[in-house]
Amino acid sequence: MPNSYFPRWKLADDSVPGAVIAPDERLSGPKNIAMGAQHVVAMFGSTVLAPLIMGFDPNVAILMSGIGTLIFFLFVGGRVPSYLGSSFAFIGGVVAVTGYAGSGPNANIGVALGAIIACGLAYTVIGIIVAAANARGDGGAAWIERLMPPVVTGAVVAVIGLNLAPIAAKGAMGSSGFETGMAIVTVLCVGGIAVYTRGTIQRLLILVGLLLACVIYAVCANGLGLGKPIDFSGVAAAAWFGLPHFTAPVFKADAMGLIVPVAIILVAENLGHIKAVSAMTGQNLDRYMGRAFIGDGVATMVSGAVGGTGVTTYAENIGVMAVTRIYSTLVFVVAAVIAILLGFSPKFGALIQTIPGPVLGGMSVVVFGLIAVAGARIWVVNQVDFSDNRNLIVAAVTLVLGAGDFTIKLGDFTLGGIGTATFGAIILYALLQRSGRQLV
């Protein structure tokens, strides 16, 4: 066990190409800044896309991603390398409770913020329980894994993408043939980057694909007059530095009932990410699991309190670590500071708002589809046995509940499709403890 709360971060010998930099090591100043900037670029596409889809202020989302990462860093004592960005798990619930139409600022954002704070609180409580179990030597991470085995987590993650599919399809169809065509072009841009590029560009497929689609749209609309042109007047008028638009939360029971179950999804994400980082670094980080949950939960509450999205640990940044083999936690402090500076630039926010609707629609199709497939990937990687009737029934029922948006209403309390699917998967798996007979 470590003797101090924070590591001492000894200077690493990075003279050998490809050398592994451990979490408790540090790079020289310039390299630290360069690596931090790379992590900002890695998280940027998704952290900006999620608030745009929900009608949140992207400046606030970027700002709170930086602040949330620093909060996470403090709770884990600087021992778990991770970046916290906007979570896509909240999109379905936020759209449902606000009635957001998918264009411009979300007029009912306050209701969603109150529910996001409640979700963060539930997540924090789970983290406290896990941390207490770890302190007693009861294996807090182990019982979380028993409660949510791969068949459950895979189904829940897949449900997020499937539940959002109608929103993505509606956004991609647009109101004209040109808009539909541009949504398809956006899908092809991302697909082309994913398949025909390598290295850093491939890792940044969301960001690069988004930029490429915007350029094509500008040529067709601004240059050839085929559609509504991109208006850059707001960018020219915006100040370089200033406060983002903060929003106060509003607490409503029905909204909280829809969004609080997302805490289970965040637990599953964080659990998987910590396991991945443990495997890459060769260090068992399970003892920090509860503190990681608490840090993520508190960061989500702080973000929701001022108008930001819920946050989660980011797989994009874990991918960067896997490629660079640099796991120094100080790199994420630098990345967080850069994100905070960007959050205080209205011009930066105005530039993000110029992204055309059809491009966002096409990007939603890709991102929501990737989320659904990520759930299936959990099954494949963990070799879930679907000849076991219990696994088969749990997955089948969960997918239909979520994709069909099965909603339960009890007075003022409402539990939407993602919530019913999440709790349904956990409860059903627990009830079917005895494995069924093999299918013939």
Side-chain angles (χ1 to χ4, degrees), residues 145-174:
E145 291 173 357
R146 287 195 298 272
L147 185 67
M148 295 186 295
V151 65
V152 171
T153 55
V156 170
V157 172
V159 155
I160 299 172
L162 294 175
N163 186 267
L164 295 169
I167 300 172
K170 182 179 178 181
M173 287 187 289

Side-chain angles (χ1 to χ4, degrees), residues 31-97:
K31 292 182 179 178
N32 221 18
I33 294 173
M35 278 305 304
Q38 179 165 289
H39 277 289
V40 170
V41 172
M43 67 83 186
F44 180 85
S46 297
T47 295
V48 167
L49 184 61
L52 287 177
I53 292 172
M54 293 184 282
F56 284 48
D57 186 336
N59 267 62
V60 177
I62 289 288
L63 172 65
M64 298 316 297
S65 78
I67 292 176
T69 297
L70 293 181
I71 291 172
F72 182 88
F73 177 87
L74 292 174
F75 272 95
V76 299
R79 297 182 183 277
V80 180
S82 196
Y83 191 92
L84 268 59
S86 303
S87 172
F88 284 85
F90 288 93
I91 295 176
V94 168
V95 171
V97 302

Side-chain angles (χ1 to χ4, degrees), residues 114-143:
I116 288 172
I117 293 173
C119 177
L121 178 60
Y123 190 8
T124 301
V125 171
I126 294 172
I128 292 172
I129 295 171
V130 173
N134 278 337
R136 293 196 307 267
D138 295 339
W143 71 259

Side-chain angles (χ1 to χ4, degrees), residues 357-426:
V359 173
L360 279 178
M363 194 63 67
S364 298
V365 170
V366 175
V367 171
F368 298 164
L370 289 174
I371 293 172
V373 172
R377 186 175 183 274
I378 291 174
W379 293 335
V380 173
V381 170
N382 292 278
Q383 299 180 330
V384 174
D385 181 11
F386 283 109
S387 65
D388 182 334
N389 285 355
R390 175 173 60 169
N391 292 338
L392 193 65
I393 294 297
V394 168
V397 172
T398 303
L399 292 179
V400 172
L401 289 178
D405 198 23
F406 185 87
T407 302
I408 296 175
K409 293 184 178 181
L410 299 173
D412 292 333
F413 179 80
T414 302
L415 191 64
I418 292 178
T420 54
T422 299
F423 286 118
I426 294 172

Side-chain angles (χ1 to χ4, degrees), residues 54-57 94 97-100 105-118 245-256 259 303-308:
M54 293 184 282
F56 284 48
D57 186 336
V94 168
V97 302
T98 61
Y100 182 60
N106 191 330
N108 298 317
I109 185 176
V111 176
L113 296 177
I116 288 172
I117 293 173
H245 297 92
F246 296 123
T247 307
V250 176
F251 297 92
K252 289 190 176 181
D254 56 344
M256 289 188 281
I259 293 179
S303 179
V306 298

Side-chain angles (χ1 to χ4, degrees), residues 283-309:
Q283 299 181 9
N284 186 352
L285 300 176
D286 280 2
R287 61 180 178 272
Y288 303 115
M289 190 80 72
R291 282 157 58 178
F293 292 169
I294 296 170
D296 201 351
V298 171
T300 292
M301 287 191 286
V302 173
S303 179
V306 298
T309 62

